[in-house]
Amino acid sequence: MQTLALSFLAGIFAANATPHFIKGITKEHFPTPFGSGPLINLLAGWAMYGIAALLAIAAHIST
């Protein structure tokens, strides 16, 4: 059950990171809780990808 929950959360974070990362690298504004500038979006996207990766590692998906 823990693997399923952590995998689900990893997917949510990765899916949410994608629009922020794309808007950051294309230098377009996109709202976040911290602002809407491109740099903020790029950092938010990378942070969420990092959290998703850590959750995927913690989920032990291969087992």
Side-chain angles (χ1 to χ4, degrees):
M1 186 66 178
Q2 181 181 358
T3 299
L4 183 63
L6 290 174
S7 298
F8 180 74
L9 287 174
I12 288 175
F13 272 96
N16 192 31
T18 302
H20 291 286
F21 181 74
I22 297 297
K23 292 295 184 180
I25 62 173
T26 58
K27 297 182 181 174
E28 296 180 20
H29 290 273
F30 191 70
T32 67
F34 308 109
S36 63
L39 181 61
I40 298 292
N41 279 299
L42 183 67
L43 295 175
W46 271 114
M48 285 187 271
Y49 278 138
I51 292 169
L54 291 174
L55 286 169
I57 290 169
H60 301 290
I61 295 171
S62 62
T63 59

